[in-house]
Amino acid sequence: MLAHLLHLEGIDSVVLEARSREYVEHRVRAGVLEQGTVDLLREIGLGERLDREGLVHDGIELQFAGERHRIDFPSLTGGRRITVYGQQEVVKDLIAGRLQTGRPLLFEAEAVALDELEGDAPAIRFRHDGEERELRCDLIAGCDGSHGVSRESVPAGVLRPFEREYPFAWLGILAAAPPSNEELIYAYSERGFALHSMRSPTVTRLYLQVEPDEDLDEWPDDRAWNELERRLGMEGWTLNTGEVLEKGITGMRSFVVEPMQHGRVFLAGDAAHIVPPTGAKGMNLAVADVRVLADAIGAWYRSGDESGLDRYSDVALRRVWRAEHFSWWMTSMLHRLGGGDPFDAKLQLAQLRYVCSSDKAAASLAENYVGLETV
Ligand code: DHB
């Protein structure tokens, strides 16, 4: 996304992707695009397949105490909505867009280290085609995820980490089954959280709260379906089942480093921050980061004005912390918390009832979910 935004400003870049094209185009990840993410993809001319295949949603449902309640987005947010479109589909569209520009994109090019971050010509050492190579550039965007080398290359003591662990994880399932409900369902239950989502009219995406160190082998398909039925089941409603196409465990963590920059390296997305998936914010935050960064880089090349670059971290972190709070809040409201303390459960139910009975409380959830225009 950053490379494309820079391309549109006439700025060249080299994209180094550690994995193969095949891998990144098929790895199953998140699926919810905020209104602003969709608008940006359209604006930069990469929204054509998204408009054709994306599933536009006007709300979500919250389920607890045997009832489902719909939160309607457009009426609560001045017409904003979300689109369900797999992250790997966004990745495919971005790759196709990049290849069309003719500018460089290297697959299986693994960055090993960043050097001379404090000088005018920082370097990336990377492995490609069996050789170690060096790329000198004006600026480095560290978009290499939470285990990448970018954050690790910043000298010790510069970045301050903020962290929260959760005593659970998600088991995610992709199944060849038509979605069982129009909308996403976020279900709070005594047995733990469950989420019903989808990818297409024939593919369902489902998640279950499980133990943090859960072993995937403990979850044969029939156990997963059974547990989904128990947590999501309602009178008169059927959970559609089908062949399980993919199954995996997703950890839950909140993490931020401040600042998101040092010298000539600018961290974006998971390299700088992680949110638990309950608020559907991860990919959207990464896109929001590089939008700020692209504007700052554009201004610097146009006029030599460094102020946008200097402010990058402060500006990006405002949205990051808002999303950190929202993701923590959704996570805390919807999961069975450690130990199953009855006081916690009463508070969670009181909060869920409030969100579903007060338009003002519902509007707060809705505006965060579809993505705030300003933070
Ligand atoms: C999906 C993932 C999420 O984390 C979420 O909150 C909603 C939907 C999904 O994969 O469809």
Side-chain angles (χ1 to χ4, degrees):
M1 176 66 86
L2 177 61
H4 208 78
L5 291 168
L6 294 178
H7 160 74
L8 295 173
E9 300 243 16
I11 300 166
D12 207 359
S13 61
V14 179
V15 182
L16 303 178
E17 168 55 60
R19 305 286 194 154
S20 68
R21 181 174 182 183
E22 167 72 17
Y23 180 87
V24 296
E25 288 191 342
H26 294 96
R27 175 174 47 169
V28 179
R29 305 294 293 275
V32 174
L33 306 194
E34 291 177 357
Q35 181 75 59
T37 305
V38 171
D39 293 345
L40 183 61
L41 281 160
R42 283 188 190 135
E43 248 171 72
I44 65 174
L46 298 179
E48 192 249 332
R49 196 164 64 93
L50 168 67
D51 280 333
R52 245 185 309 121
E53 296 176 18
L55 307 170
V56 177
H57 282 259
D58 283 352
I60 56 168
E61 290 183 13
L62 295 177
Q63 177 173 331
F64 56 94
E67 293 167 25
R68 271 186 206 152
H69 300 263
R70 185 164 181 280
I71 307 284
D72 185 75
F73 294 152
S75 65
L76 293 163
T77 64
R80 292 162 76 78
R81 17 177 80 83
I82 56 125
T83 301
V84 174
Y85 188 65
Q87 181 169 325
Q88 75 275 27
E89 304 306 321
V90 176
V91 167
K92 279 179 204 161
D93 298 344
L94 290 171
I95 290 172
R98 177 66 177 183
L99 295 177
Q100 275 215 327
T101 68
R103 298 194 195 262
L105 161 55
L106 275 57
F107 290 100
E108 298 176 74
E110 193 187 352
V112 184
L114 311 187
D115 295 321
E116 298 177 49
L117 297 178
E118 284 141 38
D120 290 345
I124 304 174
R125 273 188 282 128
F126 67 101
R127 263 187 231 111
H128 188 55
D129 280 343
E131 275 178 54
E132 187 152 316
R133 297 170 60 184
E134 186 186 77
L135 177 65
R136 291 252 163 211
C137 50
D138 293 332
L139 304 163
I140 299 171
C143 309
D144 51 351
S146 64
H147 303 293
V149 295
S150 299
R151 196 177 67 238
E152 293 304 313
S153 299
V154 175
V158 171
L159 304 180
R160 179 169 175 206
F162 298 82
E163 197 160 7
R164 168 87 25 118
E165 302 265 348
Y166 300 89
F168 35 78
W170 280 10
L171 173 72
I173 284 179
L174 189 73
S180 311
N181 200 61
E182 278 284 291
E183 304 287 26
L184 274 71
I185 307 167
Y186 286 80
Y188 171 89
S189 105
E190 282 166 15
R191 300 184 63 83
F193 171 73
L195 171 59
H196 166 280
S197 180
M198 67 286 292
R199 285 292 178 273
S200 76
T202 54
V203 175
T204 304
R205 180 80 171 138
L206 298 146
Y207 298 96
L208 280 171
Q209 175 184 350
V210 294
E211 296 299 317
D213 51 357
E214 195 74 53
D215 180 358
L216 202 52
D217 293 340
E218 299 288 315
W219 286 89
D221 298 352
D222 54 348
R223 179 176 176 207
W225 287 118
N226 195 290
E227 192 59 35
L228 284 161
E229 180 67 50
R230 292 178 81 165
R231 295 188 196 180
L232 286 164
M234 299 260 298
E235 280 270 317
W237 181 83
T238 327
L239 174 66
N240 298 330
T241 60
E243 187 196 346
V244 173
L245 306 170
E246 204 260 357
K247 197 162 30 171
I249 307 259
T250 308
M252 304 284 276
R253 200 158 71 99
S254 297
F255 176 78
V256 181
V257 287
E258 293 192 1
M260 290 169 54
Q261 64 193 85
H262 174 68
R264 290 287 180 96
V265 66
F266 299 84
L267 304 176
D270 284 9
H273 43 74
I274 299 285
V275 286
T278 327
K281 287 283 156 257
M283 166 174 41
N284 296 295
L285 263 192
V287 169
D289 284 349
V290 299
R291 181 175 219 168
V292 175
L293 187 53
D295 282 349
I297 295 174
W300 183 61
Y301 276 109
R302 270 195 311 277
S303 65
D305 179 1
E306 287 188 18
S307 61
L309 287 176
D310 292 343
R311 275 198 314 269
Y312 166 67
S313 177
D314 288 346
V315 173
L317 282 167
R318 284 210 293 273
R319 180 175 295 277
V320 168
W321 277 112
R322 178 85 292 284
E324 288 288 343
H325 179 272
F326 178 66
S327 305
W328 162 84
W329 177 74
M330 287 284 280
T331 301
S332 309
M333 178 169 72
L334 287 160
H335 289 75
R336 186 174 193 272
L337 302 177
D341 182 338
F343 192 86
D344 282 337
K346 292 287 185 191
L347 292 180
Q348 290 172 311
L349 285 169
Q351 184 65 26
L352 282 161
R353 288 211 170 88
Y354 177 49
V355 166
C356 296
S357 59
S358 155
D359 272 357
K360 295 191 176 69
S364 171
L365 187 154
E367 70 173 353
N368 278 279
Y369 199 95
V370 300
L372 291 158
E373 282 172 274
T374 52
V375 278

